[in-house]
Amino acid sequence: MATGFGGNGSSSCKYKCDTAANTLQWIKAIADFIRPYSFLINAPVVNFFKDRLWEAVDEEWMECLRKEHVKNLLLIPSGAVQEYWPDSLKKFIRTSRSLAFGREQADLQMVLPGWCIASLNTVLSQGMNQKKKHEVEVLSAIISLIASDLKSHAIVDVGAGQGYLAQVLSFHYKHSVLAIDACSHHGNVTSARSERIKKYYSAQIRKSGLETNNLRLPKAMAFRVLSVDALKSLANISLQDDHADKTSVTGDDLEKTNRQESKGLCSSGKEPSMVLAGLHACGDLSVIMLRTFVECKEVKAVINIGCCYNLLSEYESDNEGVQNGFPMSFGVKSSGLFLGKSGRDLACQSAERWRNLENEGGVHNFELHAFRAAFQMVLYKYCPEVVATCPSVGRQGKALRRRKKREAALSSQCHEDKLEASQSDLIGGLPDNSNAFSHTISDYGSTPCEQAKSVDKYLLFEKFCQSGLNRLGLQSLQDMDYYGIWMDNEPFAELIGPYWSLRAALGPVLETCILLDRLLFLQEQGESLEAMLLPIFDPDLSPRNVAIIARKVGAT
């Protein structure tokens, strides 16, 4: 299989990752660039008002961006600049973009000869949204191509969730598949869904007058803790049986099954051969997959798309010898590069998601960050002991957005009712004053859009605080001066948008650093394997779209 391993996924990027030396050079360029901006990367944004974080940013940048239209702020992570911005600001944004790995979907038929996407039928795609359907269609075709080329006995879907990918590989592409997940409920869902799909395919096969004996279902297993050793222990399990029994596996059970299956495979003269696959394997799970691929001779290839970098464990001097999620490579460990929790969080920011936000969505997101930062001031003043625990109030964005839409709709209806009443009053005879009618309209407001903009943000902030306290198990006290805290900080709220946009510009660079570290880890293994980074999904549908694809050299 000619795969073009080692490309950088971006023809416009001056950096390459086709060799370990080039990959390390790219990583060092990123490290040199981000070092002066540690104040942006490491700052806890919840302390925006408390620590006056905007004061650490170039004053000329903030003065320029504080009145900038929201649509231009949302384009900053994509590298878009306005010509009237300061040269130093334009250089920062353009350099950020130039160091980020290219996200434009690759020409997969050119990179992976023989690859052909198949549109899923309604039975297999039931329950999938547009994003998931796109991901599963593209990824399953890639996995099938590689597994077939290697004549692999089995595909292991790591972090399988509800089994969408595993079922397509099993039913559509006819592979033996093991779907593993930490959640036993997901295993039950996978098995139940597989049985329903089996009934459909069995009926279709019978209509064709063929036997259904060869219809293969994915096997589902649940691991409470997934490790390299646990994955390696699966290598000798035969997946040729025609069943989809979900098994909750303990270490002892797996060892016993492993001995039995290994004996059977050895007597048959077959060498176990596996392909590991993971669609958005969270945090360290992606790292476990890559380490297993390197350490386990039975694993011939790995296809991994990671996510949730915020959940990665990170190497520190006091835990030397522990295998952490970042960095993986010797080269990055030697460089002393450290991202920290805020940096890993920031790596999850997507330029595509920012770019595709409508103006209203961007404004809403900036408002939420302002509310959260002001709420932190409430906690500091009234609940200082809680602040020490680094509390998380969860995502309140959707609920607040729905509430705003309801209030805007009610405001609009109220406006229309009052306007209709005023017009009815005037039907009996328009006064001689020709401005009377327009004056009556202005008394009730101008347009619903303008009314929505004039919604009192303080009332929303008060509701945010009450919700946040409730989620933290705290009571709202009468002496909590929400109004005073909001009024003290509201004048600086307009700086949240520029500040967050500048931080978000570093997100794709930090994610690139994590991806390159994983690639470098594989490249450091020498010529025994080949690996590449490849953007396989449409980034507008699936922004986390870069796959690490690796295979053992000479594997067949």
Side-chain angles (χ1 to χ4, degrees):
M1 177 179 63
T3 54
F5 279 76
N8 67 0
S10 174
S11 58
S12 61
C13 183
K14 67 178 181 179
Y15 297 97
K16 295 184 178 181
C17 53
D18 53 340
T19 66
N22 285 338
T23 302
L24 185 57
Q25 182 183 21
W26 192 344
I27 293 171
K28 287 181 176 178
I30 290 175
D32 290 341
F33 170 70
I34 65 176
R35 193 171 293 114
Y37 301 106
S38 59
F39 66 89
L40 269 178
I41 295 172
N42 298 325
V45 188
V46 293
N47 291 338
F48 184 78
F49 295 128
K50 174 184 174 292
D51 296 337
R52 300 178 70 86
L53 296 180
W54 63 89
E55 293 183 350
V57 183
D58 187 301
E59 185 177 353
E60 188 181 18
W61 293 11
M62 295 303 291
E63 188 60 33
C64 169
L65 295 178
R66 68 186 300 167
K67 298 299 183 182
E68 190 60 73
H69 195 284
V70 66
K71 70 177 182 180
N72 291 336
L73 296 179
L74 296 175
L75 290 174
I76 286 177
S78 296
V81 300
Q82 306 303 314
E83 285 307 314
Y84 52 84
W85 290 357
D87 289 341
S88 59
L89 174 58
K90 291 188 288 188
K91 181 180 179 181
F92 165 78
I93 295 170
R94 286 169 173 161
T95 304
S96 297
R97 190 61 177 173
S98 71
L99 286 167
F101 190 86
R103 295 315 179 94
E104 183 180 353
Q105 186 178 19
D107 184 343
L108 296 177
Q109 289 180 326
M110 182 181 72
V111 180
L112 301 169
W115 177 84
C116 182
I117 191 170
S119 181
L120 301 182
N121 61 42
T122 55
V123 174
L124 279 176
S125 63
Q126 184 178 10
M128 299 184 195
N129 58 22
Q130 183 186 13
K131 173 179 177 291
K132 180 65 69 175
K133 184 173 182 288
H134 169 70
E135 292 170 344
V136 171
E137 284 180 340
V138 173
L139 184 58
S140 62
I142 294 174
I143 296 169
S144 179
L145 175 66
I146 294 174
S148 298
D149 183 72
L150 296 174
K151 298 180 175 58
S152 175
H153 296 108
I155 297 169
V156 181
D157 181 7
V158 182
Q162 298 188 35
Y164 293 134
L165 178 63
Q167 287 151 359
V168 172
L169 288 167
S170 181
F171 287 106
H172 185 82
Y173 290 103
K174 314 301 182 187
H175 292 286
S176 295
V177 183
L178 175 62
I180 60 176
D181 198 271
C183 177
S184 59
H185 171 69
H186 285 164
N188 292 331
V189 171
T190 297
S191 296
R193 192 173 186 273
S194 295
E195 288 293 349
R196 292 196 300 270
I197 296 173
K198 179 184 178 181
K199 290 180 181 179
Y200 167 80
Y201 277 92
S202 296
Q204 296 299 310
I205 292 173
R206 282 194 295 270
K207 287 180 181 179
S208 303
L210 302 175
E211 295 292 331
T212 62
N213 296 337
N214 294 327
L215 191 60
R216 198 171 284 160
L217 281 74
K219 182 187 294 183
M221 285 187 174
F223 284 80
R224 286 188 291 273
V225 178
L226 191 59
S227 64
V228 172
D229 288 338
L231 274 183
K232 288 166 67 176
S233 66
L234 294 172
N236 291 327
I237 293 181
S238 172
L239 299 174
Q240 303 298 328
D241 301 328
D242 180 23
H243 67 85
D245 296 333
K246 179 262 174 187
T247 309
S248 182
V249 181
T250 64
D252 293 339
D253 292 337
L254 189 56
E255 185 178 351
K256 180 179 178 181
T257 303
N258 188 33
R259 287 197 302 268
Q260 294 172 344
E261 298 289 358
S262 179
K263 182 179 178 181
L265 284 171
C266 289
S267 64
S268 67
K270 295 180 179 180
E271 180 185 350
S273 172
M274 293 197 327
V275 170
L276 292 184
L279 174 55
H280 294 149
C282 292
D284 284 351
L285 189 55
S286 289
V287 175
I288 289 170
M289 291 178 63
L290 299 180
R291 293 193 187 281
T292 304
F293 166 67
V294 168
E295 296 178 18
C296 185
K297 64 182 178 64
E298 292 85 1
V299 179
K300 306 303 183 184
V302 62
I303 303 98
N304 168 263
I305 301 97
C307 73
C308 301
Y309 307 117
N310 54 306
L311 300 179
L312 276 174
S313 57
E314 188 161 6
Y315 173 84
E316 296 180 29
S317 58
D318 59 353
N319 63 355
E320 190 171 354
V322 177
Q323 289 187 334
N324 291 288
F326 180 86
M328 293 186 70
S329 67
F330 175 79
V332 178
K333 285 180 181 177
S334 300
S335 73
L337 179 63
F338 183 75
L339 297 183
K341 184 181 184 305
S342 293
R344 300 194 307 274
D345 286 345
L346 193 52
C348 298
Q349 293 293 321
S350 163
E352 287 75 22
R353 287 204 173 119
W354 276 70
R355 185 176 66 231
N356 292 330
L357 271 177
E358 297 178 354
N359 289 349
E360 182 182 351
V363 171
H364 175 74
N365 282 348
F366 295 152
E367 285 180 358
L368 285 177
H369 284 299
F371 291 162
R372 179 61 184 89
F375 177 60
Q376 192 79 351
M377 300 293 284
V378 173
L379 294 179
Y380 268 106
K381 184 173 183 178
Y382 299 104
C383 311
E385 70 285 353
V386 175
V387 175
T389 66
C390 300
S392 172
V393 299
R395 296 182 178 181
Q396 304 187 67
K398 289 184 178 179
L400 200 62
R401 185 182 292 114
R402 286 194 297 267
R403 185 181 297 129
K404 283 188 68 175
K405 286 185 176 180
R406 285 198 302 269
E407 290 174 352
L410 288 173
S411 176
S412 175
Q413 185 60 51
C414 179
H415 162 71
E416 291 173 2
D417 291 344
K418 289 182 177 181
L419 181 57
E420 183 178 346
S422 69
Q423 290 173 319
S424 177
D425 291 342
L426 290 171
I427 289 176
L430 189 65
D432 292 337
N433 185 348
S434 59
N435 291 325
F437 186 62
S438 59
H439 175 73
T440 305
I441 294 177
S442 65
D443 285 343
Y444 297 109
S446 51
T447 67
C449 179
E450 290 173 353
Q451 284 186 342
K453 291 179 181 179
S454 65
V455 172
D456 190 345
K457 291 182 183 179
Y458 162 68
L459 295 178
L460 291 174
F461 170 64
E462 184 179 30
K463 292 174 182 177
F464 185 98
C465 291
Q466 291 169 349
S467 174
L469 291 170
N470 182 61
R471 293 187 183 202
L472 295 175
L474 303 173
Q475 294 292 325
S476 179
L477 304 177
Q478 286 186 345
D479 65 342
M480 287 184 171
D481 184 14
Y482 300 132
Y483 183 79
I485 288 175
W486 177 250
M487 295 307 293
D488 285 344
N489 294 285
E490 196 273 340
F492 307 105
E494 66 178 4
L495 301 175
I496 282 274
Y499 187 85
W500 249 108
S501 301
L502 293 172
R503 287 193 84 233
L506 294 169
V509 182
L510 296 174
E511 182 184 15
T512 296
C513 188
I514 293 172
L515 293 173
L516 291 176
D517 169 61
R518 294 175 179 180
L519 178 64
L520 182 58
F521 165 77
L522 297 174
Q523 291 172 332
E524 288 173 344
Q525 309 307 314
E527 297 180 356
S528 62
L529 57 85
E530 50 190 10
M532 68 173 171
L533 296 179
L534 190 67
I536 64 173
F537 303 137
D538 177 349
D540 288 331
L541 283 176
S542 181
R544 203 69 64 220
N545 74 335
V546 178
I548 294 181
I549 303 176
R551 56 173 287 176
K552 303 280 175 64
V553 172
T556 57

